[in-house]
Amino acid sequence: MKLIMLGAPGAGKGTQGEILSKKLGIPTISTGNILRAAVSEGTPVGRKAKAFMDAGKLVPDDVILGIVEERLAKPDCAGGYILDGVPRTIAQAEFLENDGVKFDAVLSFEISDAEIEKRMTGRRTCLKCGATYHVVNNPPRTEGVCDKCGGELIQRDDDSVETVRHRLEVYHVQTEPLKGFYEARGILKMVENQPTIEATTKVVLEVLGM
Ligand code: AP5
């Protein structure tokens, strides 16, 4: 199965991607996590991406497409994958389509901007493996420590209120048009916001017919 997860920053893509990945036995590919690892390792891609990410802007398409092409060529993607945070522009979607990739479904996580702002302030992210938590909705067993790998949990630099507002603007202008793109292809599935992570998973499985 090949899936795309579309949605505003903080809509729950990473959280649901992790759950679905375990359930379906296929990897989740998060361009955000790949970029953050590149930034912390100081690679050429990371050095190029950092200023865009800190400002809440999209990283240029050529950088993203290079990352995605390399990742999709790895053997663990042979049985399918879940894309988290990519495509994010029409150009990225057209690139995947022209490359012959056929998606089974595009999950669009629907949530208001006001709700996003509330969620982001409580989010904590693992520096080492990228897993996400929420101080109230999904706390780790030990404060500040990742349940999965023991890494340090931090608040992301781009989760400040001002940067989140800018990321939301970027989402509405550059990424939201992808809904029309995939609706025209008959594979868009709406996932309305739910008060808990478990309730969202239930809706995701329902819209996927699972
Ligand atoms: P990226 O890392 O992809 O960030 P994003 O899309 O902004 O999404 P987030 O990771 O912030 O949120 P999420 O939807 O995964 O929500 P989460 O599950 O954590 O990208 C970062 C940057 O990289 C971009 O700004 C850009 O610069 C660059 N970039 C990446 N990809 C790119 C691309 N393709 N093109 C160009 N640039 C690119 O949930 C949020 C919080 O809410 C968590 O704390 C969670 O526990 C909690 N939560 C989740 N669901 C629920 C629920 N139902 N109820 C209550 N709490 C919930």
Side-chain angles (χ1 to χ4, degrees):
M1 187 177 263
K2 289 182 185 151
L3 298 174
I4 292 174
M5 293 192 305
L6 202 63
K13 306 180 296 293
T15 305
Q16 295 303 322
E18 208 179 304
I19 295 168
L20 269 185
S21 166
K22 278 195 203 123
K23 197 166 174 62
L24 300 173
I26 52 177
T28 296
I29 295 159
S30 156
T31 38
N33 283 350
I34 295 172
L35 289 168
R36 278 184 288 280
V39 169
S40 77
E41 285 159 22
T43 67
V45 162
R47 286 199 296 276
K48 204 166 171 185
K50 188 176 185 328
F52 292 98
M53 295 174 78
D54 286 348
K57 293 182 179 159
L58 292 187
V59 172
D61 286 337
D62 61 321
V63 176
I64 297 296
L65 295 174
I67 290 174
V68 172
E69 216 173 9
E70 193 183 321
R71 183 64 187 86
L72 295 187
K74 295 208 169 143
D76 65 333
C77 290
Y81 45 78
I82 303 161
L83 296 184
D84 167 5
V86 69
R88 237 174 169 105
T89 61
I90 296 285
Q92 292 176 16
E94 283 172 343
F95 173 88
L96 290 167
E97 192 166 84
N98 294 338
D99 218 28
V101 185
K102 290 243 178 309
F103 291 97
D104 298 281
V106 177
L107 299 171
S108 179
F109 292 88
E110 301 295 316
I111 177 170
S112 72
D113 289 6
E115 188 60 33
I116 293 282
E117 283 189 31
K118 272 194 251 160
R119 274 196 198 173
M120 299 302 247
T121 50
R123 175 163 64 179
R124 298 293 178 269
T125 305
C126 176
L127 258 183
K128 211 163 138 194
C129 74
T132 52
Y133 299 85
H134 190 279
V135 288
V136 178
N137 304 330
N138 181 25
R141 284 193 292 272
T142 309
E143 197 185 320
V145 181
C146 179
D147 290 351
K148 290 163 193 102
C149 73
E152 184 191 349
L153 299 182
I154 52 127
Q155 184 157 27
R156 271 168 46 178
D157 290 344
D158 60 350
D159 277 354
S160 69
V161 175
E162 303 77 55
T163 311
V164 167
R165 284 191 185 144
H166 185 61
R167 286 163 65 198
L168 282 168
E169 269 170 45
V170 168
Y171 168 75
H172 291 306
V173 174
Q174 292 183 264
T175 305
E176 219 168 7
L178 285 175
K179 286 198 242 173
F181 183 93
Y182 287 116
E183 191 168 24
R185 283 147 183 83
I187 54 172
L188 186 74
K189 314 267 182 202
M190 307 305 255
V191 179
E192 297 301 332
N193 181 41
Q194 304 297 321
T196 65
I197 292 167
E198 294 72 24
T200 310
T201 305
K202 195 164 171 270
V203 175
V204 166
L205 296 177
E206 266 165 28
V207 302
L208 289 176
M210 295 170 69

